[in-house]
Amino acid sequence: MERIDEDKLIDEVTGKNYEYGFTTDIESDTLPPGLDEDVVRMISAKKNEPEWLLNWRLEAFKVWSEMTEPDWAHVEYEKPDFQAISYYSAPKQKKELASLDEVDPELLKTMEKLGISLEEQKRLSGVAVDFVMDSVSVATSFKEKLGELGVIFCSLGEAIQKHPELVRKHLGTVVPQRDNYYAALNSAVFTDGSFCYIPKGVRCPMELSTYFRINQAGTGQFERTLIVADEGSYVSYLEGCTAPQRDENQLHAAVVEIIANDEAEVRYSTVQNWYPGDKDGKGGVFNFVTKRGLCHRAAKISWTQVETGSAITWKYPSCILKGDDSIGEFFSVAVTNNKQQADTGTKMIHIGKRTRSTIISKGISSGHSQNSYRGLVQIHPGAENSRNFSVCDSLLMTDTCGAHTFPYIEVKNPTAQIEHEASTSKIGDDQIFYCQQRGIEEEEAIGLIVKGYAKDVLNKLPMEFAVEAQKLLTISLEGSVG
Amino acid sequence: MSVFTDNFSATLPPPTRKSERWKYSPIAKLLNKEISISTEAAQGMNGWPESVLPNPVLNLDAYLVVFKNGVFEPTLSDLPVSDGVDCIPFSKMDQSGSLDFTNGYHQKEWIGELNETYRQDGLSLHVHRNVKVDRPIVIHHLTDGNNVASFPKHLIKVDEGGELNVVVWSSASDRSSGMYNGLLEASIGPNALLSLEKVCNEGGKVFHFSHEHIVQERDSKLKMHTFTIKGDWVRNELEIISRGKGTDSVFNGAYLPLGAEHVDNHTTMDHTSSDGTSSELYRGIMYGNSTGVFNGKVFVRPDAQKTNAFQQNTNIVADRGAAINTKPELEIYADDVKCSHGCTVGQFDLDALFYLKSRGIDEKAAKALLVEAFLADVLSSVSSTELCEEIMRLYTERHGW
Amino acid sequence: MLKINNLCAKVGDNEILKGLSLEVKPGELHAIMGPNGSGKSTLAAVLAGRDLYEVTGGSVDLDGIDLLDLEASERAREGVFLAFQYPIEIPGVSNLNFMKAALNGKRAHRGLEPIKAKDFLEKVKECSSLVELDGRLRDRSVNEGFSGGEKKRNEIFQMAMLEPKLAILDETDSGLDIDALRVVSKGVNAMRSPERSFIVITHYQRLLEHIVPDFVHVLSNGKIVKSGGKELALELEEKGYDWLKEPSHDTSNA
């Protein structure tokens, strides 16, 4: 897909935002801080939701009220005050800036390095942009094409109104309300997110991306995404944006659910670059996400993530390999710098026969950061001849950071084959010197070595995403050696 | 006397499944048990069971120190040992001469507090400077009786340049039930060597818990082996702290549980100083409905630059119904280090098995050969061939290869 | 072209180069021989700018530029090339991308545009045939999984790609069998030109049968103790180094 078309499409969908769900009558609404049953009811009412969904939310709220915040991850932070958060804020317009001169120059510098066009820079940093005239037609042609194939791709709010049967059938089936503390909270108060349905046998011809609707405000804090790939279908879904995202919300508790029916394949790629906070880690985003996919027979779910942002990351995109011959994959690069803390990994739950999973995790720690891989590979008694292969490597850039590996392997079947290996190493002085001796400057050399180290994962990203992700790695590690 | 009902009011809570350290080894079953504690008087009444020999490694030329149900057996023990070594049970020693240190385990874990509260005896073993003890010291613990418990704690100190080989062997007669809760703390001085073999070969239904805590000073060497031959419920905790520069720690283990047995090996290697090396290899085969647990943690602290740490855990789930839970962990806070771990779960190599059979070796013998090969790397560093052979003999006898 | 004057260098408290002087004119090939620990590889590393070594005295001048004042990458861009004794592996970075980054760094230094893809590939083809480096190796990660001989051929391939003014070959013959030695030597000889100078560091005379030097110097205990023509190498082969060794108070730097 041409880059320019995407840009146009984003603009178009951004403009269209006002057509659905959020209309002017609720625009100025913001609930006072605090969370109780009435707040949940109010959110549901504001969104004009059916009763079953309200009840579902209330159930989640009840469960959440009885839970305690988990503390097992290898991260330290001051626990958020859940009563100090406002759980409903209408999609308020961010204050528009008149020109790029008003934008934080650091932010612009980063965007420039990422090769983001001037127009896009403006849009991403909240500067008023004139929409290009013919964008409507371009977007429409995409929409038409998807429509012809029967692909549904819209906001979750819109799906609840237009396709309630599909949402009701699948919502919470992979990540139930009581799954964990943050998932329960999300289930009670989620505001919006994406919904995607690929019908039987359809190969979605384009990457579906939240990039299309990046400015759809108000979905960020408690976003919920539901992807349903019907039998034999294929879709590649991109989440996030390589541009740095400033956000006033400190706590992000999103949920992503994927259902891959028989022989379906879903590729889910994420680049996460939330604000990591300043050099002391102040003000950064807490990213507590629950992502999970369910594979039916011979289905395949592939998670690829490049994590460079957030002050705290707590995230384990997982696969439940329920169907025989299903496949789960997890490819991750997590970079931490300054005072960032990341505890991320995956869970591969093998239930069906001949299920296979692959885990490749590459951690890169710098500054005073802490970077942990935490993963579970579970082989149930019936998972005959299942396989898992895991590699978890850590690269250390400074003597003040930490790199940790916490794999959990549980096997209850005598035909399973599990291989896990992990290593920790320092970026090599001799490698840097070798590059320098060939005329490559130190910073570029570090970039080259790090990209090489992360190559196995970066290769899994869709091409266009991969290029930006590579640049992002280099930028995230700037000034970390020497 | 009952340990867990009215008499024991611990200040620490017993571990539950929710505590990460006990996730795979819940002890709820134990808490409902009636267990009594031996006194010297009770000891004399039972005598020694015929099924267990007082010397567990007959061929090994060693000093033998025997405890029965936690109580020292002077008539079966070879004390004192050679010059330069103070090796005396706490019960037979005036307080001034005995070793006295603690890692405070009884203040950290409920199970440690239990030991502290009910401790019967233990060995104070002090090897003086540059003394190389001529023969291994075998500490033999026997559990014999219904609902009996041993709560020993041994202290070992090897001074600078000293060398010592200790075997801690625990047995239980088939009619036994109850608990073995043994602690061992050792300190290895500069340039000193401690070889420690820990063997659990207990019949009956004994809840076996042991905790070894070893501190290594500069340039010292530790060779530690943990073998679980037999045991209804076994948990081996091993904690090694490298406190001085340039230490070398080798610690290996093997576990081959059968039936409904449960074996947990919980190791921590803590590199707090620079230039240390550690090498860990644990191998297990889970038969029947047994469960194996491995939890290995390697810490490399900020000052432990130039550390070289290696950890490997290899498992075979041999039968339907058997399970392994393994958690090899690294926590690294220094950058100029080489650390790696590997973990596998799999089966016997069917190609190798077929190859052996095609040469006329029957299935049983072929499997025995493969098991021997599987355990070879663990056994190769055991300090004496006599011990090595005895362990292999017991495994073979038990599994009927 | 290259003037080394009274160069002294140490690593930690260990003085390795103790007043080394050497002049290399354009087009000349100088062989530096000497026993283990005499400072041969240190000289190569110091010239290339390895910061493990601290230069404590003396000067190095390359066509009027004070080399010691430059960083390693700047020296490379000025035309200094070091063929490593132990080439470094960089996993995940393809040999070609590596060369492209290096070449374009050098071009940028001279104010040139990045090389065109077509020109680059032609150059790669030309240079790799020079050392019989097959396509497979070019596309693989830098030195990763290469045999000893492949690594050395890759060094010469890189040298051909980067067309240095001064090439320093550090024990390029070590670990090579006779066929690989022939290939590497052929590559080096093809690179010889009136503008390009070489410093060839070797322990054995064997290499110098294939790459014929203009001058041979013997390095011992951090200094050049004898210089001569190519016949000196043969003499060394016959007599060994002992007769040349300076009495030394410190032999611990072996």
Side-chain angles (χ1 to χ4, degrees):
Chain A
M1 186 188 312
E2 289 297 314
R3 177 54 173 276
I4 182 83
D5 292 345
E6 251 191 41
D7 289 351
K8 288 171 185 168
L9 200 59
I10 300 160
D11 294 343
E12 192 274 330
V13 182
T14 313
K16 258 197 169 171
N17 191 10
Y18 298 98
E19 239 180 83
Y20 310 113
F22 303 110
T23 47
T24 40
D25 62 347
I26 58 165
E27 194 181 346
S28 56
D29 285 352
T30 298
L31 286 177
L35 181 56
D36 57 25
E37 225 183 80
D38 289 342
V39 170
V40 176
R41 284 178 194 282
M42 221 168 318
I43 293 169
S44 192
K46 290 280 182 199
K47 298 175 67 62
N48 194 24
E49 288 175 351
E51 205 182 332
W52 65 266
L53 189 53
L54 170 64
N55 290 336
W56 193 82
R57 284 180 183 270
L58 287 172
E59 202 182 312
F61 175 74
K62 191 161 169 281
V63 167
W64 178 78
S65 316
E66 289 159 6
M67 287 172 130
T68 48
E69 203 175 349
D71 55 8
W72 43 262
H74 194 85
V75 293
E76 275 174 33
Y77 60 97
E78 208 171 297
K79 300 230 182 321
D81 178 357
F82 293 98
Q83 295 302 333
I85 295 170
S86 167
Y87 288 86
Y88 188 85
S89 168
K92 59 175 182 235
Q93 285 281 39
K94 280 185 189 160
K95 193 184 132 228
E96 278 202 350
L97 307 174
S99 79
L100 280 176
D101 298 342
E102 296 177 29
V103 179
D104 179 359
E106 277 295 310
L107 190 65
L108 291 180
K109 220 166 80 189
T110 309
M111 290 198 195
E112 222 162 273
K113 284 179 189 161
L114 281 168
I116 289 170
S117 73
L118 204 64
E119 282 300 295
E120 210 177 328
Q121 284 184 32
K122 286 183 182 170
R123 187 177 51 72
L124 289 167
S125 45
V127 175
V129 186
D130 291 326
F131 293 145
V132 185
M133 283 311 290
D134 64 355
S135 66
V136 175
S137 60
V138 174
T140 309
S141 76
F142 279 136
K143 280 242 157 187
E144 268 173 14
K145 199 163 177 190
L146 291 176
E148 272 167 30
L149 293 164
V151 174
I152 302 166
F153 181 43
C154 60
S155 75
L156 188 58
E158 185 186 341
I160 290 163
Q161 303 302 326
K162 292 189 175 172
H163 310 281
E165 70 299 335
L166 272 177
V167 177
R168 189 172 184 178
K169 187 176 168 195
H170 295 106
L171 189 74
T173 56
V174 188
V175 181
Q177 295 115 305
R178 58 179 63 251
D179 189 79
N180 68 69
Y181 189 79
Y182 303 110
L185 177 64
N186 176 289
S187 302
V189 302
F190 74 89
T191 33
D192 212 337
S194 308
F195 176 76
C196 170
Y197 174 80
I198 318 293
K200 259 185 201 178
V202 169
R203 207 182 156 80
C204 188
M206 62 190 79
E207 316 268 0
L208 296 186
S209 174
T210 49
Y211 206 90
F212 285 57
R213 26 166 226 92
I214 193 113
N215 263 4
Q216 198 167 302
T219 62
Q221 194 168 13
F222 299 106
E223 185 165 0
R224 190 157 189 122
T225 299
L226 178 59
I227 298 172
V228 181
D230 222 328
E231 278 172 42
S233 66
Y234 167 85
V235 65
S236 169
Y237 187 93
L238 311 184
E239 177 206 278
C241 174
T242 50
Q245 294 180 41
R246 298 282 153 138
D247 199 291
E248 292 127 42
N249 297 320
Q250 193 167 37
L251 174 69
H252 281 251
V255 168
V256 176
E257 290 180 281
I258 300 177
I259 292 116
N261 277 322
D262 294 358
E263 294 176 30
E265 180 179 349
V266 179
R267 293 180 58 181
Y268 192 105
S269 312
T270 312
V271 172
Q272 186 263 114
N273 190 25
W274 296 108
Y275 183 53
D278 61 14
K279 286 230 180 307
D280 299 320
K282 287 220 173 67
V285 166
F286 293 177
N287 192 22
F288 301 145
V289 189
T290 306
K291 290 182 168 182
R292 194 175 303 149
L294 176 66
C295 283
H296 290 281
R297 187 183 56 77
K300 177 176 176 181
I301 293 176
S302 213
W303 298 99
T304 306
Q305 61 174 28
V306 175
E307 302 278 313
T308 64
S310 296
I312 316 265
T313 302
W314 184 99
K315 178 179 171 189
Y316 316 92
S318 307
C319 297
I320 301 173
L321 304 172
K322 187 180 165 207
D324 293 348
D325 301 292
S326 57
I327 298 172
E329 293 177 335
F330 174 76
F331 306 112
S332 168
V333 175
V335 182
T336 54
N337 201 349
N338 298 321
K339 289 276 176 72
Q340 279 177 273
Q341 303 176 62
D343 193 301
T344 181
T346 184
K347 294 181 193 173
M348 292 290 174
I349 313 295
H350 293 252
I351 299 169
K353 296 183 175 71
R354 298 173 301 277
T355 45
R356 280 173 287 155
S357 64
T358 305
I359 298 169
I360 298 177
S361 164
K362 301 272 184 177
I364 302 162
S365 332
S366 189
H368 290 82
S369 67
Q370 299 296 333
N371 197 329
S372 304
Y373 167 82
R374 186 182 303 277
L376 169 67
V377 174
Q378 199 174 58
I379 310 284
H380 284 245
E384 292 297 299
N385 292 306
S386 291
R387 303 277 177 271
N388 163 266
F389 178 68
S390 309
V391 185
C392 305
D393 292 333
S394 306
L395 190 64
L396 292 145
M397 312 285 285
T398 59
D399 60 3
T400 46
C401 59
H404 320 299
T405 318
F406 307 108
Y408 295 63
I409 300 163
E410 304 175 4
V411 181
K412 291 194 164 65
N413 182 293
T415 60
Q417 292 272 14
I418 315 291
E419 270 180 70
H420 167 95
E421 50 191 72
S423 72
T424 300
S425 54
K426 185 190 176 194
I427 188 159
D429 287 339
D430 51 356
Q431 290 177 329
I432 295 172
F433 175 65
Y434 191 70
C435 293
Q436 283 180 306
Q437 209 303 304
R438 298 301 183 250
I440 301 166
E441 282 170 350
E442 187 178 16
E443 202 149 287
E444 197 187 345
I446 291 166
L448 206 62
I449 295 163
V450 166
K451 276 182 268 176
Y453 165 79
K455 191 175 125 191
D456 291 347
V457 173
L458 295 174
N459 278 350
K460 306 291 180 187
L461 286 171
M463 190 56 185
E464 187 181 286
F465 230 31
V467 174
E468 287 189 10
Q470 285 196 16
K471 289 183 190 162
L472 193 60
L473 285 188
T474 316
I475 292 167
S476 306
L477 289 168
E478 252 170 29
S480 57
V481 163
Chain B
M1 172 167 31
S2 159
V3 175
F4 304 112
T5 50
D6 31 30
N7 283 321
F8 183 56
S9 54
T11 47
L12 296 166
T16 65
R17 220 179 239 279
K18 277 193 176 163
S19 53
E20 188 68 22
R21 277 171 45 79
W22 294 87
K23 182 178 160 73
Y24 294 120
S25 294
I27 61 161
K29 237 170 43 179
L30 173 78
L31 298 177
N32 301 326
K33 275 190 175 171
E34 291 274 310
I35 289 179
S36 54
I37 298 177
S38 281
T39 60
E40 219 159 337
Q43 183 69 26
M45 284 154 52
N46 294 326
W48 190 268
E50 270 178 33
S51 57
V52 183
L53 292 171
N55 182 356
V57 197
L58 272 181
N59 295 331
L60 186 67
D61 184 16
Y63 300 103
L64 191 61
V65 184
V66 181
F67 294 85
K68 188 187 159 200
N69 294 337
V71 177
F72 177 58
E73 286 273 356
T75 52
L76 297 170
S77 304
D78 308 321
L79 289 182
V81 303
S82 56
D83 288 348
V85 186
D86 305 330
C87 177
I88 307 173
F90 289 102
S91 59
K92 303 284 177 239
M93 194 173 203
D94 66 76
Q95 286 305 305
S96 60
S98 60
L99 292 170
D100 188 15
F101 48 85
T102 176
N103 66 345
Y105 187 71
H106 60 282
Q107 288 157 342
K108 281 182 264 177
E109 283 278 344
W110 176 85
I111 203 116
E113 193 181 351
L114 199 58
N115 177 288
E116 180 80 6
T117 309
Y118 294 107
R119 182 172 317 133
Q120 297 118 329
D121 207 345
L123 207 57
S124 172
L125 210 179
H126 186 182
V127 176
H128 292 263
R129 201 182 151 106
N130 291 330
V131 172
K132 296 174 174 43
V133 184
D134 58 338
R135 282 184 275 162
I137 296 174
V138 175
I139 304 173
H140 186 193
H141 282 282
L142 171 76
T143 302
D144 181 40
N146 204 14
N147 292 334
V148 290
S150 305
F151 295 101
K153 181 178 178 181
H154 307 300
L155 293 181
I156 298 174
K157 187 163 186 282
V158 186
D159 286 346
E160 183 163 2
E163 283 183 17
L164 173 68
N165 177 202
V166 174
V167 179
V168 180
W169 190 292
S170 43
S171 314
S173 60
D174 290 340
R175 64 180 178 202
S176 299
S177 64
M179 181 186 201
Y180 171 88
N181 175 341
L183 308 189
L184 185 151
E185 284 187 50
S187 149
I188 316 177
N191 279 311
L193 163 72
L194 174 66
S195 305
L196 183 60
E197 276 96 15
K198 192 198 164 276
V199 183
C200 175
N201 184 29
E202 293 176 339
K205 297 260 177 224
V206 178
F207 175 95
H208 179 105
F209 171 85
S210 69
H211 177 83
E212 282 96 39
H213 180 91
I214 296 158
V215 177
Q216 289 189 254
E217 301 298 344
R218 152 184 80 74
D219 298 314
S220 66
K221 188 171 165 77
L222 170 72
K223 285 202 295 175
M224 170 88 207
H225 292 80
T226 305
F227 294 102
T228 307
I229 294 167
K230 187 155 78 171
D232 185 48
W233 195 104
V234 179
R235 169 148 161 143
N236 300 308
E237 283 189 7
L238 171 62
E239 202 172 312
I240 302 165
I241 297 170
S242 156
R243 202 162 66 183
K245 272 185 161 188
T247 58
D248 184 14
S249 322
V250 175
F251 50 115
N252 298 342
Y255 43 102
L256 288 81
L258 260 180
E261 289 174 353
H262 177 98
V263 183
D264 179 351
N265 282 289
H266 216 94
T267 68
T268 304
M269 177 71 228
D270 196 348
H271 287 276
T272 70
S273 194
S274 68
D275 301 280
T277 59
S278 66
S279 165
E280 173 175 18
L281 174 68
Y282 273 75
R283 299 199 144 172
I285 308 177
M286 272 49 66
Y287 293 99
N289 290 307
S290 68
T291 308
V293 178
F294 173 79
N295 189 337
K297 198 162 197 147
V298 176
F299 286 103
V300 178
R301 307 285 178 187
D303 291 333
Q305 293 290 4
K306 308 262 181 215
T307 291
N308 204 332
F310 172 77
Q311 181 193 61
Q312 175 77 36
N313 174 229
T314 312
N315 300 285
I316 290 177
V317 178
D319 294 320
R320 198 159 295 278
I324 175 75
N325 297 310
T326 167
K327 219 177 128 201
E329 301 173 88
L330 298 174
E331 272 191 51
I332 315 288
Y333 300 90
D335 63 335
D336 194 4
V337 298
K338 276 198 193 115
C339 297
S340 65
H341 72 204
C343 174
T344 62
V345 181
Q347 298 82 46
F348 284 112
D349 182 348
L350 292 178
D351 292 336
L353 197 65
F354 174 74
Y355 185 77
L356 291 170
K357 286 200 275 188
S358 77
R359 294 295 178 266
I361 301 166
D362 68 41
E363 171 130 0
K364 224 173 178 182
K367 276 202 171 161
L369 279 175
L370 290 180
V371 171
E372 212 167 310
F374 184 74
L375 296 181
D377 291 340
V378 175
L379 285 157
S380 65
S381 42
V382 168
S383 46
S384 65
T385 45
E386 291 85 357
L387 182 61
C388 199
E389 280 166 7
E390 180 60 13
I391 287 164
M392 208 52 221
R393 191 188 68 77
L394 288 168
Y395 274 133
T396 310
E397 189 182 271
R398 167 148 219 240
H399 294 275
W401 298 316
Chain C
M1 171 184 278
L2 179 75
K3 285 195 192 101
I4 305 172
N5 189 22
N6 202 26
L7 186 63
C8 299
K10 62 175 188 178
V11 57
D13 293 329
N14 203 353
E15 269 186 63
I16 300 177
L17 298 183
K18 302 171 183 172
L20 184 145
S21 300
L22 178 69
E23 184 168 356
V24 180
K25 296 205 168 70
E28 288 179 353
L29 193 146
H30 291 241
I32 298 198
M33 302 183 71
N36 286 329
S38 58
K40 302 191 298 289
S41 287
T42 303
L43 173 64
V46 167
L47 290 178
R50 184 77 163 113
D51 52 13
L52 270 175
Y53 300 91
E54 190 190 336
V55 174
T56 51
S59 64
V60 180
D61 178 293
L62 181 75
D63 285 339
I65 296 166
D66 177 4
L67 217 50
L68 298 179
D69 207 31
L70 301 181
E71 271 201 319
S73 59
E74 293 167 328
R75 296 186 201 193
R77 290 172 183 193
E78 290 298 338
V80 177
F81 180 90
L82 171 64
F84 283 55
Q85 182 180 1
Y86 303 109
I88 308 299
E89 300 185 3
I90 310 178
V93 177
S94 87
N95 230 352
L96 285 196
N97 273 342
F98 179 59
M99 273 300 98
K100 201 188 247 170
L103 211 55
N104 284 335
K106 202 163 177 175
R107 289 175 68 91
H109 181 65
R110 292 196 220 126
L112 298 172
E113 289 284 299
I115 190 166
K116 288 199 185 84
K118 186 169 157 281
D119 297 345
F120 177 71
L121 287 174
E122 259 169 35
K123 200 175 167 79
V124 166
K125 207 170 154 190
E126 189 186 309
C127 296
S128 51
S129 71
L130 191 69
V131 285
E132 301 172 22
L133 195 71
D134 70 30
R136 204 169 42 85
L137 293 180
R138 290 185 334 229
D139 298 337
R140 283 209 336 235
S141 295
V142 178
N143 292 323
E144 198 189 27
F146 284 31
S147 71
E150 285 165 347
K151 282 182 182 170
K152 294 297 172 75
R153 279 193 279 161
N154 193 18
E155 291 296 284
I156 305 302
F157 160 71
Q158 291 179 23
M159 178 172 87
M161 287 293 293
L162 296 173
E163 301 174 277
K165 197 188 274 181
L166 171 69
I168 305 158
L169 275 56
D170 186 9
E171 307 250 5
T172 296
D173 52 332
S174 71
L176 290 189
D177 63 27
I178 192 72
D179 288 330
L181 187 67
R182 187 185 47 75
V183 172
V184 164
S185 307
K186 193 187 83 185
V188 172
N189 286 329
M191 291 287 296
R192 290 182 74 167
S193 80
E195 297 82 39
R196 184 169 296 133
S197 308
F198 286 84
I199 294 176
V200 176
I201 291 169
T202 180
H203 190 72
Y204 301 105
Q205 186 265 343
R206 184 177 74 151
L207 177 70
L208 304 180
E209 286 172 12
H210 299 271
I211 301 171
V212 181
D214 299 309
F215 301 95
V216 175
H217 310 277
V218 179
L219 191 59
S220 179
N221 196 23
K223 277 183 187 170
I224 288 177
V225 293
K226 191 168 177 67
S227 299
K230 61 187 175 200
E231 64 288 343
L232 178 58
L234 288 168
E235 200 179 342
L236 288 168
E237 178 84 354
E238 209 174 293
K239 295 189 188 168
Y241 292 109
D242 286 347
W243 61 288
L244 287 168
K245 270 190 187 165
E246 278 208 335
S248 162
H249 303 292
D250 176 21
T251 50
S252 64
N253 54 15

